Amino acid sequence: MTENIRINNPNVKYTDTHIEAQYCYHTSAVRRDGDTLTVTPSVSELEFRTERRVPRLGVMLVGWGGNNGTTVTAAVLANRLGLTWRTKTGEQKANYYGSLFQSSTVCLGPGPDGKEVNIPFRDLLPMVHPNDIVFDGWDISSMDLGSAMERAEVLDWSLQEKLRPHMSCLRPRASIYIPEFIAANQAGRADNILKGTMAEQVEQIRADIQDFRHSSGVEKVIVLWTANTERFCDLTAGVNDTAKNLLAAIQSGGEVSPSTLFAVASILEGCAYINGSPQNTFVPGAIELAVERNVFIAGDDFKSGQTKIKSVLVDFLISAGIKPTSIVSYNHLGNNDGMNLSAPQQFRSKEISKSNVVDDMVNSNPILYRKGEKPDHCVVIKYVPYVGDSKRAMDEYTSEIMMGGTNTIAMHNTCEDSLLASPIILDLVLLTELCQRVCVRPQGSETFQSFHSVLAILSFMCKAPLIPPGAPLVNAYFRQRACIENIMRACLGLPPQNHMHLEHKLQRGFLPRHDNRIYDNVATKMVLSTGYHASQQNGPIHNSF
Amino acid sequence: MTENIRINNPNVKYTDTHIEAQYCYHTTAVRRDGDTLTVTPSVSELEFRTERHVPRLGVMLVGWGGNNGTTVTAAVLANRLGLTWRTKTGEQKANYYGSLFQSSTVCLGAGPDGKEVNIPFRDLLPMMHPNDIVFDGWDISSMDLGSAMERAEVLDWSLQEKLRPHMSHLRPRASIYIPEFIAANQAGRADNVLKGTMAEQVEQIRADIQDFRHSSGVDKVIVLWTANTERFCDLTAGVNDTAKNLLAAIQSGGEVSPSTLFAVASILEGCAYINGSPQNTFVPGAIELAVERNVFIAGDDFKSGQTKIKSVLVDFLISAGIKPTSIVSYNHLGNNDGMNLSAPQQFRSKEISKSNVVDDMVNSNPILYHNGEKPDHCVVIKYVPYVGDSKRAMDEYTSEIMMGGTNTIAMHNTCEDSLLASPIILDLVLLTELCQRVCVRPQGSETFQSFHSVLAILSFMCKAPLVPPGAPLVNAYFRQRACIENIMRACLGLPPQNHMHLEHKLQRGFLPRHDNRIYDNVATKRVLSNGYHASQQNGVCAHVVKEATIG
């Protein structure tokens, strides 16, 4: 990864090892006195320090042999090998479409011609390239990744043929299987499971992480759960309420879910742990352990399909002053996730994860919703084997518009579960790895600090974001994206994106000439003859003509 | 309108007449040398001055008797009168749902309890309340607004009954009718048209504006076209390429569309003119005239339904790294707009207006689209009388996802054309009126200047935004909204929204204590016992979950 962005500003220093940026962070405090709101802006001066060297990254997936695990591994291999394959419509190249960092762009500012310069999101800061990730992992099914890829029925057959020699040699490590946490219908897959006490199994997971680290030569390991959705775990005082009690419960064999055991093992190994499923892996004791050990945790539940669009559409409607009154989401899918979710307790975890996604937007608008009022919200998930990984999401949004009118949006979304989740898995680990190289020193403080152990910046990729206590919960898609972009810009000393284009909105330009941009007064014939309108200049490009 | 926001900052001064804010505007300039991009940030110090006194506003609608004209007038009356009416599901109150300023909120910051404080968008700065708008207008149909409201078939009958006494005495002024610009099927409505030469008709429109201003006592008039979509006008050197030629063409009777005649009359009267339809009202000569006279113009075409969602969804997809490859939009509607659009030339105007809405987003992502590549994009509009004002939009978005996969979104949207457009009409005039009270002085400059005559900040409400030359064209919904919010915040000296919540993202808080917010370290049992998760704290409120729990 070479850096190709250079900030030309005395507030930003490039040392051999770090990018050091002085940054003014603006907040405002609001006080209400009767009808009057007093807004007090304040500025905090922060120093951001980002390590420039990108380490060799290993990622261990829990559920490596599942549809997500095989698809993300295959995608990275295919991209690394530069594979192409034939489909009936032509040759297809490996790509990372659907990845925020690899396939979306951010605007840096205007170039000398006045046009906006957009760069890949990943180029903002030195980041690991997904091609360089080394994968390993666990699965309760012993099937090798070549066969598991075939079982998943996700990738084109001609691609599978090219990948099989590279995938078949990969075998998941034995995993933790506690039958009561996942659906009974998973028992048939469970032929690759650890034996022994809970404590022994945690020790084995830790040994696996150490073994992977040493044998692969990676410098850093991140562990990510993309295995079955578990039932929710009861929060019980004395069992999982503190780090100490949780560790004791593991020793004594209390109620601890497999995912929490993986999280504990990772945290004890100093490895960030990300939960891609909806269950409450992060019981209070697990969070406390992560905070004590200064290890990042993040979750929950990949936001990939229906919920992602919901966090766009509902934000759009409410931000336009339109009042969603009923949101009904039907899903059917036929992969192993769907089979597991067909059991009531596992569905319940998913339902909880999906149900709160509109709360922040609803609560932000007291004009449309009185206190405590919410839209009706109903989520149904059905297991329909035939559709396989090609998940269907059918949503109906009914909204109240002006003067009692109704706006009804019905949407049918064919989601391709694993192809949408895999790039999100990559985004999660790449952003986590980056965050491990960023630290911040507030003015007046002697020491740098890293991000909070609960890595809320990953909210963008999560259906039910885990956040530090007291932090605002944001589900709105574009706000979450702006958060990532603006924090990465801060690492370069660049202020937040403002979208204002003020230099084009006044009668006369005000920017200095030396930046090569030219802001002429308007009423010149040269300009007028070309017209002011994009549509007039470009003409329509429709196929329908 | 009372101000209830007070900025506590030495950079913001409240005088008797103005809010004066010192503002640092951040930009960057990017230069490419080989593979390296050099980014040079810079700061411009600007002084924003916003007049606090809100004038009495009159709005003149071209096409006052149409579905939008009657609906927006009825909505303002019903809100002003505080009307309620029965529907089969209960009592309904008048409201302004769908209005950015009246019904959406912006976040001001954190309150003493740490929770975000959200206020109505309209409260950010002193703005007109829509209840105080006085309406007038023109229409080629002479029908009074009470009967026109009935003809529109938009509002509930019980509401119409309550409004009729207030609407029936409102009669549109005679309008300009040049048959070749709109569909032949509109001829039957045209019983209220001006006679005389083009120049005489423009003089009559000017006289109408003056008459309205004097008789109603409003301080300020804004003119807005919500009439029929016209065919596109040819851009012809010597006719409409300069202000002088355009004025001469009006005198000599050249090809000038009715909407351009209205625009010219408004500009000559010093009234801002907004074009809510897709045609190219703003020929170069009209724009030059507006710039010369320092009058605001804005357009084109209300962004209310299908295109609005498109500017959200395509932005979402591309910003998520997903590649839309085919966008197909079928519409049918049965109101008079649909009837007019059933003629090929008028449809063509609409089609052009709708076709470019994804260009800015596509061009912003050279990873997904190589230079010049665009998704297939097809728009069909059909006239189906039965559905009336209840416009249907059926869209299919096909996108390429990872490794050659396909994501297909099919959407059926029942749009209620005039109920969605009316609050946008209000937002357009209210924001235009506000912009007339804002001026900016860059540091080092002696004088304040107002916004550019081409009022690009109104892009949010327009399908095909008109922008000053060289300005980037933005169709992406959330970027447009952020633009309005951040410029209004600038008028209060407040920096742009950053959505970062950094004070909650580090291991230890860093904000000063005196702002009443408390940032504890995390690992305390009190906090842990509540759990970290919204879902655990709040419980599940979905109906289906309640049933599941009971069952």
Side-chain angles (χ1 to χ4, degrees), chain B residues 62 176 178 181 198 202 205 223 225 228 230-235 239-243 245-247 249-250 254-268 273-275 279-289 297 300:
Chain B
V62 191
I176 301 176
I178 308 181
F181 278 93
M198 218 175 245
V202 169
I205 299 300
V223 179
W225 177 278
N228 272 319
E230 298 172 335
R231 69 162 171 81
F232 258 57
C233 201
D234 288 334
L235 300 182
V239 176
N240 48 25
D241 57 342
T242 67
N245 289 341
L246 179 60
L247 292 175
I250 291 172
E255 176 176 281
V256 185
S257 68
S259 66
T260 302
L261 295 175
F262 271 99
V264 167
S266 302
I267 294 165
L268 293 177
Y273 184 86
I274 299 164
N275 176 29
Q279 70 273 347
N280 61 344
T281 300
F282 299 118
V283 294
I287 297 173
E288 196 185 51
L289 188 65
I297 54 173
D300 295 325

Side-chain angles (χ1 to χ4, degrees), chain A residues 306 328-332 347 351 354 378-382, chain B residues 544:
Chain A
Q306 185 182 47
V328 185
S329 296
Y330 300 100
N331 299 260
H332 55 276
F347 169 69
E351 191 179 42
K354 282 183 164 237
C378 173
V379 177
V380 174
I381 304 179
K382 290 292 168 191
Chain B
V544 66

Side-chain angles (χ1 to χ4, degrees), chain B residues 186-490:
Chain B
Q186 298 300 310
R189 280 170 87 115
D191 64 354
N192 188 39
V193 299
L194 290 175
K195 305 271 184 284
T197 66
M198 218 175 245
E200 285 164 357
Q201 296 193 27
V202 169
E203 283 312 310
Q204 181 56 47
I205 299 300
R206 296 185 62 175
D208 288 341
I209 295 172
Q210 291 163 15
D211 174 64
F212 171 57
R213 197 195 301 263
H214 297 139
S215 62
S216 68
V218 297
D219 304 312
K220 200 186 262 189
V221 175
I222 294 174
V223 179
L224 182 145
W225 177 278
T226 178
N228 272 319
T229 294
E230 298 172 335
R231 69 162 171 81
F232 258 57
C233 201
D234 288 334
L235 300 182
T236 312
V239 176
N240 48 25
D241 57 342
T242 67
K244 200 172 144 217
N245 289 341
L246 179 60
L247 292 175
I250 291 172
Q251 292 302 324
S252 64
E255 176 176 281
V256 185
S257 68
S259 66
T260 302
L261 295 175
F262 271 99
V264 167
S266 302
I267 294 165
L268 293 177
E269 286 302 311
C271 298
Y273 184 86
I274 299 164
N275 176 29
S277 289
Q279 70 273 347
N280 61 344
T281 300
F282 299 118
V283 294
I287 297 173
E288 196 185 51
L289 188 65
V291 171
E292 281 177 11
R293 305 279 172 138
N294 253 322
V295 175
F296 287 151
I297 54 173
D300 295 325
D301 207 4
F302 305 131
K303 184 159 86 167
S304 58
Q306 185 183 48
T307 304
K308 196 166 179 180
I309 289 202
K310 193 177 286 178
S311 72
V312 172
L313 273 186
V314 174
D315 188 24
F316 153 60
L317 290 166
I318 295 177
S319 76
I322 293 171
K323 179 181 179 176
T325 46
S326 150
I327 303 167
V328 185
S329 298
Y330 300 100
N331 300 260
H332 54 277
L333 72 171
N335 55 21
N336 190 51
D337 182 31
M339 188 158 121
N340 181 58
L341 289 176
S342 64
Q345 283 191 309
Q346 284 68 34
F347 169 70
R348 180 97 178 88
S349 295
K350 194 77 182 177
E351 192 179 42
I352 292 175
S353 159
K354 282 185 164 237
S355 66
N356 291 289
V357 68
V358 303
D359 287 0
D360 58 324
M361 302 165 242
V362 167
N363 293 336
S364 76
N365 193 322
I367 305 172
L368 298 178
Y369 299 95
H370 55 73
N371 202 2
E373 186 186 3
K374 292 184 181 210
D376 292 347
H377 190 188
C378 173
V379 178
V380 175
I381 303 179
K382 289 292 169 191
Y383 175 52
V384 178
Y386 177 76
V387 303
D389 206 66
S390 183
K391 187 174 178 178
R392 313 299 156 89
M394 295 151 77
D395 294 70
E396 188 196 68
Y397 299 83
T398 312
S399 304
E400 191 178 337
I401 57 175
M402 202 179 70
M403 307 301 278
T406 304
N407 174 249
T408 307
I409 298 174
M411 183 182 257
H412 184 286
N413 189 356
T414 311
C415 283
E416 305 298 341
D417 218 7
S418 303
L419 290 179
L420 288 175
S422 293
I424 290 171
I425 291 176
L426 297 173
D427 289 336
L428 283 164
V429 297
L430 298 182
L431 184 54
T432 301
E433 193 287 315
L434 171 64
C435 288
Q436 290 172 335
R437 286 182 285 117
V438 174
C439 57
V440 183
R441 189 175 62 81
Q443 201 189 30
S445 167
E446 302 268 304
T447 52
F448 281 89
Q449 50 175 310
S450 74
F451 288 110
H452 192 283
S453 278
V454 176
L455 202 54
I457 191 175
L458 268 60
S459 294
F460 179 80
M461 296 91 175
C462 299
K463 273 199 195 72
L466 190 75
V467 295
L473 185 73
V474 178
N475 287 300
Y477 172 91
F478 283 99
R479 289 189 72 188
Q480 292 175 330
R481 191 180 190 276
C483 174
I484 299 176
E485 181 179 0
N486 287 334
I487 288 181
M488 285 176 68
R489 287 172 62 93

Side-chain angles (χ1 to χ4, degrees), chain A residues 267-510:
Chain A
I267 294 165
L268 294 176
E269 286 302 312
C271 297
Y273 184 87
I274 298 164
N275 177 29
S277 289
Q279 70 272 348
N280 60 342
T281 299
F282 299 118
V283 293
I287 297 173
E288 196 184 50
L289 188 67
V291 170
E292 280 176 14
R293 306 275 173 143
N294 252 322
V295 175
F296 287 152
I297 54 174
D300 297 319
D301 206 6
F302 305 132
K303 184 160 87 170
S304 58
Q306 185 182 47
T307 305
K308 196 167 179 178
I309 288 202
K310 193 178 286 180
S311 72
V312 171
L313 273 187
V314 175
D315 188 23
F316 153 60
L317 291 167
I318 294 178
S319 76
I322 293 171
K323 179 182 180 178
T325 44
S326 149
I327 304 168
V328 185
S329 296
Y330 300 100
N331 299 260
H332 55 276
L333 73 172
N335 56 20
N336 190 52
D337 183 30
M339 189 157 121
N340 180 58
L341 288 177
S342 64
Q345 284 191 308
Q346 283 68 35
F347 169 69
R348 179 96 179 89
S349 295
K350 195 77 182 178
E351 191 179 42
I352 292 175
S353 159
K354 282 183 164 237
S355 66
N356 291 288
V357 68
V358 302
D359 287 0
D360 57 323
M361 302 165 243
V362 167
N363 293 335
S364 77
N365 193 321
I367 304 172
L368 298 178
Y369 300 95
R370 61 179 185 279
K371 203 166 179 28
E373 186 185 2
K374 293 181 178 212
D376 292 347
H377 190 188
C378 173
V379 177
V380 174
I381 304 179
K382 290 292 168 191
Y383 176 52
V384 177
Y386 176 77
V387 303
D389 206 65
S390 183
K391 187 174 179 177
R392 313 298 158 87
M394 293 150 77
D395 294 70
E396 188 196 69
Y397 299 83
T398 313
S399 304
E400 190 178 336
I401 58 176
M402 202 180 71
M403 308 299 280
T406 304
N407 174 249
T408 306
I409 299 174
M411 182 183 257
H412 183 285
N413 189 357
T414 310
C415 282
E416 305 298 339
D417 218 7
S418 304
L419 290 177
L420 288 175
S422 292
I424 289 171
I425 290 175
L426 297 173
D427 289 335
L428 282 165
V429 298
L430 298 181
L431 184 54
T432 301
E433 194 287 314
L434 171 64
C435 288
Q436 291 173 334
R437 287 183 284 116
V438 173
C439 56
V440 182
R441 190 175 62 80
Q443 201 189 29
S445 167
E446 302 268 303
T447 53
F448 280 88
Q449 50 175 311
S450 76
F451 288 110
H452 192 281
S453 277
V454 176
L455 202 54
I457 192 176
L458 268 60
S459 294
F460 178 79
M461 296 93 173
C462 299
K463 271 197 196 75
L466 189 75
I467 50 174
L473 183 73
V474 178
N475 286 301
Y477 170 92
F478 282 100
R479 289 189 71 188
Q480 292 175 329
R481 191 179 191 277
C483 174
I484 298 176
E485 182 178 2
N486 287 335
I487 288 181
M488 287 176 69
R489 286 172 63 95
C491 295
L492 295 169
L494 296 175
Q497 288 284 14
N498 60 48
H499 303 295
M500 290 161 76
H501 294 305
L502 260 186
E503 62 275 29
H504 295 289
K505 287 201 166 63
L506 300 186
Q507 290 182 322
R508 296 179 296 279
F510 55 83

